[in-house]
Amino acid sequence: MNDNTLPSRKRDHVELVATADVGFRTITPGFDRIRLDYVALPELNFEDITTTCEVFGRQVQFPVVIASMTGGYEEATKINADLAAVCRDMNIGLGVGSMRAAITDERHRRSFSITREVAPNGLLLANIGIVQCIEQRNLGKGALRGFIARIVDMIEANALYIHINALQELLQPEGEPRFRGALDTLVDVVDVCNVPVVVKEVGAGIGHRTMTQLRDAGVRHVDVAGAGGTSWAGVEILRRDDRADVEELWDVGIPTVDCLIASRQFAKDSGMHLYASGGIRSGTDIAKSLVLGATATSAARPVLKALREGGAEAAIALLQQWELRLRQWMFITGSATIDDLRSASYSHL
Ligand SMILES: Cc1cc2nc3c(=O)[nH]c(=O)nc-3n(C[C@H](O)[C@H](O)[C@H](O)COP(=O)(O)O)c2cc1C
């Protein structure tokens, strides 16, 4: 791959997500199928409620991480700086986009490291694809160790996302659908990485079968990144010349709520932490995700759109609205803390 391809692809992604209709067409994340049980006598004052909690060793204002999006091309430095400022001001987490571009070209480092400059005490998550990890491991475990350390150190990350994205690699015009060795690679990534490793999809979901494989590989943190929000198959299909041939794969994936329900008990029994993303669009979706067992939640596209349309102020306003709605749900489910909310009851419609 030549040097220009990767930055221009990352630019394409941000432009398409911000301007084109790249949502799922027939699948919703499933939050409309969950009804939280109302508690008429909560034994709480509204001001008693606290949304603060610990995520990867950092105290955050409420359990939200702006999902991994970008980096690796010139304009991405400004986007990541703005996102980091939003996270710093809101005291929530931020995942940067895939850091592959900064490994292949030093000039792109700052588009990622700017996040630590802006949010010196923030919760920051590094990001790299499993395919790049497999390639490094094929060079030897020492190469993988050095690769992971460079990525984590670049932003002094509190945790590392490894994205697993078979569908996206399959449909991406420049994609590399080569996943053989992925599980052995994950065993080694967990071994060499000095911060928690979080395996995530990119919006097609991690089902129960994959969860069991991840458990066996020693992975302790999984963001299900389910279907119903941004369709990455859709984004890549829009970048292809033969769209009509592959259009029927646009809506492939497991809805976020189905992923959570399928793996909740298993995760608990296995000492794993589940995280929810994919189609989270409100404080109500955040509350429902936590009730369904998520440790924390993430959203990508709505935050990017708010930032593009109204700058950091608009992104902060959106997140404040989500925080308020979460707090309201905590009151009417009788939950003084996020831990209380996790044991609130619900019906599955
Ligand atoms: C512009 C954009 C770029 C993204 N790039 C990455 C990436 O580099 N690595 C990754 O793991 N996920 C990436 N994602 C996926 C998101 O982290 C998230 O899993 C997915 O978009 C579903 O969340 P949503 O429905 O809230 O958008 C990207 C998402 C967006 C919107």
Side-chain angles (χ1 to χ4, degrees):
M1 174 179 300
N2 69 48
D3 267 1
N4 293 330
T5 309
L6 189 51
S8 83
R9 187 198 315 162
K10 298 309 285 182
R11 189 179 290 112
D12 273 9
H13 283 162
V14 166
E15 286 308 312
L16 275 170
V17 166
T19 57
D21 186 1
V22 291
F24 277 75
R25 291 168 171 169
T26 58
I27 293 184
T28 75
F31 294 110
D32 50 340
R33 288 185 267 121
I34 301 298
R35 183 186 292 149
L36 301 185
D37 287 355
Y38 171 62
V39 173
L41 256 187
E43 273 300 334
L44 283 171
N45 294 342
F46 187 63
E47 68 267 22
D48 296 339
I49 289 165
T50 172
T51 58
T52 54
C53 58
E54 212 172 270
V55 181
F56 299 115
R58 296 266 164 160
Q59 191 84 7
V60 290
Q61 175 59 27
F62 69 125
V64 166
V65 174
I66 297 179
S68 305
M69 281 190 269
T70 201
Y73 65 101
E74 212 181 312
E75 305 89 298
T77 309
K78 164 99 176 95
I79 300 175
N80 273 341
D82 286 348
L83 291 173
V86 169
C87 289
R88 179 197 58 208
D89 293 353
M90 291 290 297
N91 189 22
I92 58 172
L94 170 66
V96 298
S98 169
M99 297 167 80
R100 176 185 185 183
I103 296 291
T104 47
D105 185 341
E106 290 268 314
R107 286 170 302 176
H108 295 307
R109 285 176 63 103
R110 187 134 192 282
S111 67
F112 298 100
S113 61
I114 186 83
T115 56
R116 187 49 86 194
E117 287 173 42
V118 172
N121 303 311
L123 169 62
L124 296 181
L125 287 90
N127 186 297
I128 194 70
I130 186 67
V131 173
Q132 284 74 55
C133 295
I134 296 171
E135 284 167 10
Q136 291 296 318
R137 182 174 179 268
N138 287 341
L139 302 174
K141 194 166 169 182
L144 179 68
R145 185 189 301 275
F147 178 71
I148 296 292
R150 283 202 300 284
I151 288 166
V152 169
D153 292 348
M154 204 181 303
I155 63 165
E156 295 163 53
N158 304 98
L160 168 67
Y161 279 127
I162 302 289
H163 63 263
I164 58 174
N165 59 340
L167 179 67
Q168 184 188 10
E169 294 289 349
L170 184 69
L171 293 173
Q172 188 172 88
E174 318 83 345
E176 296 166 283
R178 290 198 293 268
F179 281 67
R180 185 177 297 151
L183 285 167
D184 287 341
T185 299
L186 281 172
V187 171
D188 285 350
V189 170
V190 170
D191 184 38
V192 301
C193 188
N194 60 9
V195 294
V197 172
V198 191
V199 170
K200 77 185 280 288
E201 232 287 337
V202 297
I206 293 179
H208 190 62
R209 173 182 160 167
T210 307
M211 276 295 291
T212 59
Q213 292 173 307
L214 292 174
R215 191 266 319 264
D216 294 345
V219 173
R220 289 290 165 262
H221 304 273
V222 178
D223 182 337
V224 299
T230 308
S231 165
W232 276 90
V235 174
E236 301 300 354
I237 288 169
L238 292 180
R239 297 180 60 243
R240 293 172 68 109
D241 297 328
D242 60 345
R243 286 182 198 176
D245 289 350
V246 284
E247 197 89 15
E248 67 189 276
L249 297 177
W250 186 294
D251 263 2
V252 170
I254 309 169
T256 302
V257 163
D258 295 357
C259 293
L260 292 172
I261 289 175
S263 293
R264 179 184 192 171
Q265 192 57 44
F266 175 81
K268 207 170 170 186
D269 296 344
S270 314
M272 296 171 84
H273 292 272
L274 281 182
Y275 301 80
S277 70
I280 287 188
R281 299 294 179 260
S282 67
T284 300
D285 296 346
I286 292 171
K288 289 179 178 178
S289 297
L290 297 170
V291 172
L292 293 175
T295 296
T297 62
S298 292
R301 190 170 178 228
V303 181
L304 181 69
K305 288 191 83 160
L307 188 71
R308 295 263 300 207
E309 284 157 23
E313 254 174 49
I316 287 176
L318 176 74
L319 289 157
Q320 281 173 336
Q321 190 198 334
W322 289 6
E323 185 194 348
L324 173 64
R325 187 56 38 78
L326 171 64
R327 211 174 265 280
Q328 291 168 332
W329 273 113
M330 289 173 74
F331 185 65
I332 54 178
T333 55
S335 315
T337 65
I338 294 291
D339 264 348
D340 293 342
L341 181 64
R342 286 203 191 93
S343 46
S345 46
Y346 68 94
S347 353
H348 194 175
L349 309 177

